[in-house]
Amino acid sequence: MDDYFDYWGKAHVEGNPEAYHLLAYHSLDVAAVGAELLHRAPVLLDRAAMLSGFSRDSLAKALPYHLALHDLGKFSEAFQDKRADLVTLLQGASRLPRSCAVGHDTLGYMLWRQWSGRKTVPEESGLFLELLPVTLPSGPVGRVDLDYVMQSWMAAVLGHHGKPPADGHLPAAFFAGQAGSLARSRLDAASFAEAAKTLIGAGDLIAGSDDIDALSARVRRTSWWLAGFAILCDWIGSSTEHFKYESSRMRLEDYWRVARAAAVNAVNGSGLTGSRARPFLGVDQLFPHIASAPSPLQVAAAEVALGSGPRLFVLEDLTGSGKTEAALILAQRLMGAGRADGIYFALPTMATANAMHARVRPLLGKLFDGAPNYLLTHSGLRLEEQDRIAIGRNGPGGTEPRGGGAETYGCGEQETAGAAASGWLADGRKKALLAELGVGTIDQALLAALQSKHAALRLFGLHRHVLIVDEVHACDAYMLRILRKLLELHAAFGGSAILLSATLPLEQRRQLTAAFSAGLGEKGMATPDAKAYPLLTAAGSGAVVEIPVEPRHGIPRTIPISWHATVEAAAARVVAASRSGQCACWIRNSVKDALEAYQQLVGELGKDQVTLFHARFALGDRLYLEQQVVDRFGAESDGARRGGHVVIATQVVEQSLDIDFDVMVTDLCPIDLIIQRAGRLQRHPSRDQGRSPAILEVLAPLWSEAPPPGWLGGPFRRTALVYDDPGVLWRTARVLHLNAKLVLPAEARQMVEDVYASDDVPDSLARRANAALGATMAQASVAQNAVLKLDQGYLREGNDWSDEQRTPTRLGEPSTTVRLARMGADGVASAWRSDLEKRLHWALSQVSVARRLVARAAPGDTSIREALEATQPFVGDDTVTVLLREGTDGRWRGSAIAERLQGGVTRDVSVTITYSPELGLEVEQGA
């Protein structure tokens, strides 16, 4: 038998720590998964051919062959010696276990680079050309040219652990014995590669080309797609449920048949190819409830030409105009035309993602045949069986995310394929990108455009989806720059996108369409310039089409503006509304302001009449609270439940929640958010009978053309911290004063442009406005450095690649994930929401806060915290477990350490954490 059978590839399966799987077999497992996926979903071959310029027939063999090479680095002594007992068993060699800082993905890539370089050892001369899936082109093309072409492709399959492999010189101790005699491990790695090429058939990718640079550019772009495909195939191929560990030796041809049969079951079990998109049969089939009176925007979405190739659609209309339904109409049309297989709906916040869940889940059977995978990101309380993608249930190996049975031996790896799949795909934030229908926050999609671990898999998951991004205007400069890159990447991969906004400035629409066009390689495409509103913009196929749309019936309205100059006046207005039987909402700009207003109104109206709703609740409590707010103030609520009730909220209510209040008071905020908040004021015309006329009431400093430097001081100081550009707030106040009313939708576009297309600012506010502008430019610069370089290919080339926890999709203050635990009366500590499904305890018991509020656990209770952390799915530097004990007032308290900037120096400060399901989390500085 060939010597490449003398190497182990997987070891230590649950229940049998002595079991192992031969490396040659695992390599073929992954190749078999790739072959099966390409067979099941031929559109993958189409997309790879479109990106690379190679033929489908050659790719059908070349892709599985490359996957068979993904673990070449495991032939190294450095990896094998992690299990010295298996080396002795397989090779008869007796060596001590060793450790190394180089992962087997990088070891394999270094070996390949050495084969392809000019300094190849004599015994391996010519090996590189023998292993490449090419027929040498005619003309002056040699080893260096082919290495130039194929480098990123090989990096994609060999660097299959989520990041491009590091380049450099292969250490002499790894694949050792190069002085004088060739190392056996190098020969065996080459021997296996040759055997795999003979077995699978590599295809002839490059059969002739006189433009090496153009060919290399296509291959580099394709390498991102291939890297995501390789990661996915490796994870499925690491399933011990379907690929049983095999240590007995058989002919490679015989095991290939075993692997192909196992791959059929593994792909079936993955849930990735179990359904297909239904054709679009009309608005009445998809949305019967609007069929008799679809909005003009929905009609336009059903009729606009789809063109050819990837398309970008931008839908601009007011809140409540039916943009979501219009987007889904477009998405189904694109899927029905064979341009996509699924949808990812990206929302700005967890609350908006939860709200979208209820709207799209009933559409599963209308959008797809078969058993589609549907996943809601974040909403732990609603994760029912049909909401989970099978591959991520417990990971391919059937283990829990902390490992429990995944392979635990590696060489410099932080995680192996089995462990990675178990942890990564078990996390709904990520697997939503692989489901046919995913709903989640925009952050998970933006990570696909950042130099973050598994970015390539995210891109692969999205590339056959229609990407729908709601509330695009909510992106700051940093997020907008990343979104532009994501649209470029998505277009380059052949994907279509739909952007929704009520208040998108023209300049942002231009930037987003330009980014999409750049991904298509289209230059000189027309620039959007229409100022009509509502508006549907379609970009792609070398053109931009802008279609003015009539407003929806009942949407046009005029809302007068009234002003409150003091917090006391605003509070009195809300109290008066409640006592007259009206329901009211007061949107405050900070959690601290919301807490103070809540305490004040509870003193006036009683606890039963006031609800506090902000982002600083444990997830389980926040989901419950959110549902209570929607039930009480949503479309299905009745007057008895609404009457006299007041909500004190932060920004969590301003987007995508279908809630309706008789009276709305809002702190001053940017004009686009003013329009959003007005969308929650008397939203449902069916309730207008008996209501007082709608008036938007704004709490703001006294208006002045020449305000004092402290215009945003005193009671507005926290507003100035949340919205750091006083110029935007001052121009918003100016627009509202000059107009004295909101005329919607007719004047919405002009009001937004008057604020964001202007740089007018009083001299007294200019210093802070300039500082905010500088910060915005810096954010865009940071984003530019963090995004993927598509044309560079899947290569390090000096770029920093970070883990997901360290690559932010949003800038701002550093944050900490606080996991709340409670000490029961029986002395037993548990997660705060331990009354819910066990595997979700900690996800539903955590809340994110600024690091300046909570940075680390306080001394004490060390053994209790460690025992609690042992039950948590992930524990890192940015997570803190805080143990709470119940006080005599019924509230729960614990302690922590915060980081405060004092005198230019960051100092540790003891803080007290107070928590209750009514008020959320509060932090007070200790003694």
Side-chain angles (χ1 to χ4, degrees):
M1 303 296 284
D2 291 287
D3 289 342
Y4 51 70
F5 284 115
D6 292 344
Y7 298 81
W8 65 274
K10 294 284 181 181
H12 192 169
V13 69
E14 186 175 14
N16 187 1
E18 302 304 318
Y20 64 93
H21 195 44
L22 293 181
L23 175 54
Y25 295 162
H26 169 65
S27 300
L28 293 185
D29 292 340
V30 175
V33 169
E36 183 64 22
L37 284 173
L38 295 174
H39 172 70
R40 297 281 191 91
V43 68
L44 295 177
L45 279 177
D46 293 336
R47 192 57 53 89
M50 179 271 294
L51 288 168
S52 66
F54 300 147
S55 71
R56 293 179 79 260
D57 291 342
S58 64
L59 286 168
K61 293 182 177 180
L63 290 174
Y65 165 61
H66 277 85
L67 292 174
L69 305 183
H70 79 285
D71 266 349
L72 282 179
K74 287 187 175 181
F75 281 95
S76 69
E77 290 87 349
F79 179 87
Q80 290 295 307
D81 287 356
K82 300 298 287 186
R83 283 294 300 269
D85 58 326
L86 293 181
V87 174
T88 302
L89 177 66
L90 291 167
Q91 299 181 14
S94 179
R95 294 198 294 262
L96 294 175
R98 74 168 82 178
S99 61
C100 68
V102 184
H104 72 257
D105 51 350
T106 290
L107 285 174
Y109 182 63
M110 288 179 177
L111 176 63
W112 180 266
R113 295 290 292 140
Q114 197 167 79
W115 282 345
S116 66
R118 295 180 178 180
K119 296 183 179 180
T120 304
V121 293
E123 291 90 336
E124 296 172 76
S125 60
L127 176 64
F128 168 70
L129 298 179
E130 291 174 11
L131 296 183
L132 277 175
V134 300
T135 296
L136 283 178
S138 58
V141 177
R143 174 191 297 273
V144 175
D145 295 316
L146 290 176
D147 178 38
Y148 176 62
V149 170
M150 299 302 296
Q151 180 184 359
S152 61
W153 196 297
M154 295 307 303
V157 292
L158 291 164
H160 56 278
H161 279 263
K163 303 179 186 180
D167 205 348
H169 297 291
L170 189 65
F174 309 149
F175 297 98
Q178 296 172 52
S181 63
L182 189 64
R184 173 187 171 184
S185 57
R186 294 167 63 92
L187 286 176
D188 291 341
S191 177
F192 171 75
E194 291 179 292
K197 184 176 181 180
T198 300
L199 175 68
I200 298 173
D204 286 333
L205 293 179
I206 307 172
S209 172
D210 57 0
D211 191 342
I212 290 296
D213 289 334
L215 178 61
S216 178
R218 293 198 305 271
V219 170
R220 284 182 175 235
R221 284 195 162 208
T222 312
S223 68
W224 293 102
W225 182 95
L226 179 57
F229 186 56
I231 294 169
L232 181 62
C233 292
D234 185 40
W235 287 356
I236 298 176
S238 297
S239 167
T240 54
E241 177 183 355
H242 299 291
F243 298 96
K244 305 299 183 182
Y245 279 12
E246 180 60 69
S247 57
S248 61
R249 305 187 182 201
M250 65 183 81
R251 292 191 314 153
L252 218 54
E253 295 85 348
D254 295 334
Y255 186 79
W256 179 237
R257 285 190 288 271
V258 173
R260 289 301 302 268
V264 172
N265 295 327
V267 171
N268 285 339
S270 75
L272 293 176
T273 59
S275 66
R276 61 183 180 86
R278 287 179 178 270
F280 178 70
L281 299 177
V283 175
D284 56 334
Q285 295 294 315
L286 189 58
F287 297 111
H289 65 287
I290 65 172
S292 60
S295 74
L297 182 64
Q298 292 161 354
V299 172
E303 296 177 351
V304 63
L306 296 182
S308 60
R311 299 285 279 179
L312 173 68
F313 297 94
V314 184
L315 310 184
E316 299 176 85
D317 206 344
L318 287 179
T319 298
S321 61
K323 292 191 295 295
T324 297
E325 289 80 5
L328 288 168
I329 289 168
L330 270 172
Q332 188 176 32
R333 290 183 63 202
L334 287 166
M335 291 193 298
R339 310 266 280 280
D341 298 324
I343 299 170
Y344 182 74
F345 223 123
L347 287 302
T349 65
M350 185 193 68
T352 55
N354 293 337
M356 191 61 64
H357 163 78
R359 300 176 67 178
V360 302
R361 180 176 169 180
L363 300 176
L364 272 177
K366 297 181 178 181
L367 294 171
F368 301 98
D369 280 324
N373 299 304
Y374 169 59
L375 192 87
L376 169 66
T377 297
H378 291 302
S379 187
L381 289 180
R382 300 178 186 143
L383 280 180
E384 300 178 11
E385 189 64 31
Q386 56 266 47
D387 296 334
R388 301 178 183 138
I389 187 168
I391 187 174
R393 182 79 182 274
N394 287 312
T399 60
E400 290 300 324
R402 290 187 67 89
E407 175 207 329
T408 56
Y409 300 96
C411 180
E413 280 81 22
Q414 294 182 348
E415 58 191 354
T416 61
S422 179
W424 200 90
L425 286 177
D427 185 345
R429 294 174 300 171
K430 301 152 182 135
K431 64 185 178 183
L433 303 184
L434 294 170
E436 276 94 341
L437 179 58
V439 177
T441 60
I442 189 174
D443 306 76
Q444 301 310 313
L446 293 181
L447 278 169
L450 288 168
Q451 292 176 25
S452 63
K453 194 172 185 182
H454 299 122
L457 182 61
R458 292 177 184 275
L459 282 174
F460 182 83
L462 283 174
H463 89 287
R464 282 293 298 172
H465 285 48
V466 179
L467 172 63
I468 303 177
V469 183
D470 199 6
E471 313 285 7
V472 175
H473 55 270
C475 294
D476 60 20
Y478 178 80
M479 294 176 67
L480 182 66
R481 183 64 190 85
I482 302 173
L483 178 59
R484 286 164 54 191
K485 175 56 69 170
L486 177 62
L487 290 174
E488 178 188 341
L489 294 166
H490 195 55
F493 276 29
S496 295
I498 303 170
L499 309 180
L500 313 181
S501 178
T503 50
L504 187 66
L506 175 59
E507 179 57 28
Q508 289 189 13
R509 178 155 51 98
R510 288 173 172 169
Q511 292 176 9
L512 294 166
T513 53
F516 193 82
S517 298
L520 297 177
E522 297 176 348
K523 298 180 180 179
M525 191 173 70
T527 301
D529 59 6
K531 293 186 178 180
Y533 188 86
L535 185 70
L536 187 156
T537 301
S541 302
V544 172
V545 178
E546 296 172 291
I547 304 172
V549 177
E550 291 295 318
R552 186 173 189 167
H553 177 70
I555 289 293
R557 58 180 182 157
T558 298
I559 306 175
I561 304 293
S562 69
W563 299 88
H564 299 291
T566 66
V567 172
E568 290 74 21
R573 175 67 184 98
V574 174
V575 169
S578 173
R579 288 176 174 166
S580 68
Q582 295 176 300
C583 63
C585 179
W586 183 3
I587 302 181
R588 311 248 38 205
N589 288 334
S590 76
V591 174
K592 188 70 172 177
D593 284 337
L595 283 164
E596 291 176 358
Y598 173 79
Q599 298 286 14
Q600 182 178 353
L601 266 66
V602 165
E604 295 272 358
L605 300 172
K607 185 178 292 188
D608 292 342
Q609 291 298 102
V610 187
T611 296
L612 178 65
F613 185 27
H614 57 71
R616 210 177 289 167
F617 286 90
L619 177 56
D621 293 335
R622 177 172 168 175
L623 293 171
Y624 174 79
L625 183 59
E626 176 189 314
Q627 190 61 53
Q628 294 297 106
V629 169
V630 171
D631 288 347
R632 187 184 293 273
F633 302 102
E636 305 302 321
S637 65
D638 55 51
R641 296 197 65 193
R642 300 158 51 86
H645 203 90
V646 172
V647 173
I648 305 298
T650 58
Q651 293 85 345
V652 294
V653 301
E654 74 188 14
Q655 295 172 334
S656 296
L657 293 183
D658 187 12
I659 50 179
D660 179 329
F661 299 95
D662 301 325
V663 173
M664 171 69 73
V665 178
T666 173
D667 291 0
L668 178 66
C669 60
I671 186 64
D672 49 329
L673 304 184
I674 287 285
I675 295 172
Q676 288 286 339
R677 295 177 185 188
R680 274 72 199 161
L681 173 62
Q682 300 190 16
R683 180 184 181 94
H684 299 127
S686 60
R687 294 200 180 101
D688 285 351
Q689 187 172 1
R691 279 183 174 183
S692 301
I695 300 174
L696 184 66
E697 308 188 41
V698 181
L699 170 61
L702 292 172
W703 166 247
S704 172
E705 286 281 356
W711 185 62
L712 289 174
F716 307 104
R717 66 190 185 280
R718 297 187 186 114
T719 288
L721 294 175
V722 174
Y723 304 110
D724 60 354
D725 188 344
V728 169
L729 294 175
W730 179 81
R731 290 192 294 273
T732 295
R734 179 177 65 177
V735 164
L736 295 177
H737 273 278
L738 290 176
N739 289 274
K741 57 186 178 296
L742 297 176
V743 181
L744 303 175
E747 297 181 6
R749 171 86 71 195
Q750 190 58 52
M751 295 177 80
V752 170
E753 295 301 317
D754 286 346
V755 171
Y756 286 104
S758 170
D759 57 4
D760 289 350
V761 61
D763 291 342
S764 59
L765 305 179
R767 183 179 63 82
R768 288 192 56 209
N770 288 336
L773 176 60
T776 296
M777 295 175 67
Q779 288 180 9
S781 178
V782 170
Q784 177 63 31
N785 291 330
V787 295
L788 300 180
K789 280 67 174 178
L790 180 64
D791 291 329
Q792 177 180 294
Y794 195 71
L795 299 166
R796 287 280 178 108
E797 297 197 348
N799 293 312
D800 177 38
W801 279 79
S802 304
D803 288 343
E804 292 167 29
Q805 294 83 1
R806 300 295 186 180
T807 310
T809 55
R810 308 178 192 227
L811 288 185
E813 287 189 278
S815 62
T816 301
T817 297
V818 176
R819 289 181 175 147
L820 301 176
R822 68 172 91 199
M823 178 66 78
D826 55 1
V828 176
S830 61
W832 175 259
R833 292 307 303 264
S834 56
D835 55 317
L836 301 170
E837 185 179 346
K838 184 177 180 180
R839 74 183 188 90
L840 301 174
H841 285 177
W842 291 109
L844 298 175
S845 300
Q846 67 187 32
V847 57
S848 180
V849 300
R851 192 167 179 83
R852 61 180 169 80
L853 297 178
V854 180
R856 292 185 302 283
D861 294 325
T862 302
S863 60
I864 299 176
R865 279 202 320 277
E866 289 178 349
L868 291 169
E869 289 174 352
T871 68
Q872 296 176 14
F874 170 79
V875 179
D877 294 339
D878 299 328
T879 59
V880 174
T881 301
V882 175
L883 188 63
L884 304 175
R885 292 176 171 86
E886 189 173 18
T888 56
D889 59 354
R891 301 175 71 186
W892 294 74
R893 291 178 174 83
S895 58
I897 301 296
E899 292 181 352
R900 301 285 171 81
L901 189 64
Q902 299 177 350
V905 178
T906 300
R907 302 183 186 277
D908 288 351
V909 177
S910 298
V911 295
T912 298
I913 307 291
T914 304
Y915 187 81
S916 71
E918 295 79 27
L919 299 177
L921 186 143
E922 300 176 76
V923 182
E924 298 177 359
Q925 187 165 328

